[in-house]
Amino acid sequence: QTFDISLVYTDSTKIITVHMQDSNVKISDVEGMPKPNLIVYNSNAEGYGVFPIQPHKLLLLQDLKNEVTRGYAYINAYENMLNGTLTPISALKLFKKALSVETNELLVPLISRYTTRIFWTYLTDEQRITYQKEITQQVWSKLQKPLPPNIKKALFAAYKSLAYTGPSKENLFKVWNKDLQISNLKLNTDDYTELAMDIVLYGHSERDKILNTSKEALTNPDKLERFIFLLPSLSDDVQVKNKFFESLKQEKNRAKESWVANAMNNMNHPLHQKEAIAYLRPSLDLLDDIQKTGDIFFPKRWLNSTVGNYNSAEAYQILQDFLVDNPDLNPSLKLKLLQASDDLRRAQLIHKRVDKSVN
């Protein structure tokens, strides 16, 4: 394969094109050149694979002038985090800083997704508490600046995902209640409905007012039916959730598959997994029936919204027990299961490395 390597200096960048035809290649062009401040492999994003990265110079990536190079550098940093070369905290600090300075309309949504994925999947509960306030304050501050609507929407999506406590949760409530407006942030009726459900999911004290007001605002019959269907998944009553989950064991109650996936995401949200983990093994046990009775894409959506939300050792053990107990699981379903639980698997490896480094 062919790809570029950028040698970044204080006042210039030297680009070396590499034609890789063997497992090793010597780049003689760089001999005698001064040591660069930063080396960016695959800087034109045309190579394939996970490329080397310099962990101690990670924050320099956000200063790269070329947008393609900068974009690929973010992608490569995330991939290195998944492979254990970077710690989740190191990657989070890069993306957190990048969120405050990035202005490219394609890169802001990318960084936003990486930030929220690392936060909910690869941080411990204690680490979330440490970084939640800092990240939400930073994103909220940027939301007040004059920015294009697409960037505002991506930033608000990240904020909404992380604003589950303290002043950030109250800011969400004020935006939903239209007591507070963010300039150039364009929210439609569906956005307000989803925002309401997130605030309730976060345990806001005004949950009844939020749900009733949101329900009354829906004039489209299909959207109202969907909202009513999702209400049990937002309940603070475990018995209500238990009854709802039991109902999903009947095929007729899984007819609206996208609604079911939304509901399971609500029930298995990281904030509610202490109770919801009781549904995990029964959810996996339903997999074969879901494949036989549902759309071809539904098994993967079901898995993403159940086991795909977890990062704990307990959830990983439930997954392993299920695989042992089902040695003849349909190969296609097994691949979908392994794909949906890949973050769960990687989280165990990453947490073990962190524990060893601490000890």
Side-chain angles (χ1 to χ4, degrees):
Q1 59 179 325
T2 301
F3 56 87
D4 288 348
I5 295 178
S6 289
L7 308 179
V8 182
Y9 297 91
T10 302
D11 54 359
S12 65
T13 298
K14 174 68 175 177
I15 297 176
I16 306 293
T17 298
V18 178
H19 301 283
M20 196 160 193
Q21 298 177 334
D22 206 341
S23 58
N24 292 287
V25 58
K26 182 178 180 180
I27 308 172
S28 57
D29 292 354
V30 302
E31 291 182 1
M33 293 177 60
K35 184 178 179 180
N37 299 331
L38 178 68
I39 301 173
V40 184
Y41 293 83
N42 195 29
S43 56
N44 61 345
E46 293 184 6
Y48 181 81
V50 180
F51 285 79
I53 199 165
Q54 296 171 283
H56 59 294
K57 296 187 175 182
L58 208 57
L59 294 181
L60 295 178
L61 297 178
Q62 68 194 24
D63 298 324
L64 294 168
K65 303 301 181 185
N66 185 286
E67 292 179 322
V68 171
T69 301
R70 196 165 69 248
Y72 178 75
Y74 292 143
I75 294 171
N76 194 48
Y78 184 74
E79 295 292 332
N80 272 274
M81 186 277 299
L82 291 179
N83 284 353
T85 308
L86 293 179
T87 66
I89 293 299
S90 296
L92 184 70
K93 287 179 177 179
L94 166 65
F95 297 130
K96 177 175 69 69
K97 182 65 175 175
L99 272 180
S100 67
V101 298
E102 186 58 63
T103 58
N104 182 284
E105 292 192 24
L106 295 177
L107 297 184
V108 172
L110 177 76
I111 299 166
S112 297
R113 290 194 299 272
Y114 284 162
T115 302
T116 55
R117 175 63 67 87
I118 292 172
F119 185 89
W120 286 117
T121 305
Y122 290 100
L123 298 192
T124 64
D125 291 342
E126 294 76 15
Q127 289 171 333
R128 289 176 191 157
I129 293 171
T130 300
Y131 285 97
Q132 190 272 344
K133 182 178 179 180
E134 182 180 350
I135 298 174
T136 52
Q137 283 182 342
Q138 178 181 297
V139 175
W140 183 257
S141 177
K142 188 169 181 179
L143 278 168
Q144 312 313 310
K145 297 178 180 179
L147 295 167
N150 288 346
I151 289 183
K152 285 285 182 85
K153 201 72 177 281
L155 288 172
F156 188 72
Y159 187 81
K160 183 166 69 82
S161 175
L162 305 180
Y164 64 91
T165 188
S168 60
K169 183 167 68 174
E170 288 308 309
N171 284 339
L172 285 188
F173 177 77
K174 290 176 182 177
V175 171
W176 170 82
N177 206 36
K178 300 182 181 177
D179 295 328
L180 195 160
Q181 291 189 335
I182 300 172
S183 65
N184 229 19
L185 175 65
K186 303 183 186 305
L187 300 176
N188 57 35
T189 302
D190 291 344
D191 293 324
Y192 279 107
T193 301
E194 297 305 312
L195 178 56
M197 289 193 282
D198 282 334
I199 299 170
V200 169
L201 197 64
Y202 298 159
H204 197 280
S205 59
E206 298 283 349
R207 59 174 291 116
D208 291 338
K209 171 188 174 180
I210 295 168
L211 292 175
N212 290 333
T213 303
S214 298
K215 182 179 177 181
E216 292 172 1
L218 294 173
T219 56
N220 181 296
D222 291 334
K223 292 180 179 180
L224 177 59
E225 185 183 355
R226 173 182 179 271
F227 186 82
I228 293 172
F229 178 87
L230 292 175
L231 283 177
S233 70
L234 300 167
S235 177
D236 56 358
D237 186 334
V238 175
Q239 294 306 315
V240 171
K241 289 184 175 180
N242 289 346
K243 184 178 179 181
F244 176 73
F245 181 77
E246 286 299 314
S247 74
L248 296 181
K249 293 180 179 180
Q250 300 180 46
E251 179 187 349
K252 64 179 182 179
N253 295 323
R254 301 195 302 264
K256 303 284 189 178
E257 294 174 351
S258 63
W259 298 4
V260 173
N262 290 151
M264 295 309 292
N265 274 318
N266 290 338
M267 293 178 68
N268 292 288
H269 188 280
L271 293 176
H272 297 275
Q273 288 178 3
K274 184 177 180 181
E275 300 83 18
I277 198 165
Y279 309 128
L280 185 51
R281 178 58 191 257
S283 296
L284 296 175
D285 289 334
L286 277 172
L287 186 56
D288 188 57
D289 188 51
I290 282 173
Q291 190 223 16
K292 292 176 181 176
T293 61
D295 180 85
I296 187 173
F297 300 108
F298 188 42
K300 182 61 164 52
R301 296 184 72 175
W302 174 265
L303 290 167
N304 286 342
S305 60
T306 54
V307 69
N309 277 301
Y310 286 83
N311 72 348
S312 67
E314 182 182 0
Y316 188 66
Q317 188 59 54
I318 291 172
L319 170 65
Q320 296 306 306
D321 291 343
F322 174 78
L323 290 170
V324 170
D325 294 341
N326 293 272
D328 299 321
L329 183 65
N330 179 295
S332 175
L333 284 183
K334 184 174 182 180
L335 289 175
K336 288 181 173 67
L337 175 56
L338 294 177
Q339 183 181 14
S341 61
D342 188 58
D343 279 324
L344 172 59
R345 177 187 66 85
R346 290 178 187 270
Q348 308 316 301
L349 298 174
I350 289 172
H351 292 162
K352 285 179 181 178
R353 292 191 192 101
V354 172
D355 290 341
K356 287 181 179 179
S357 65
V358 171
N359 295 330

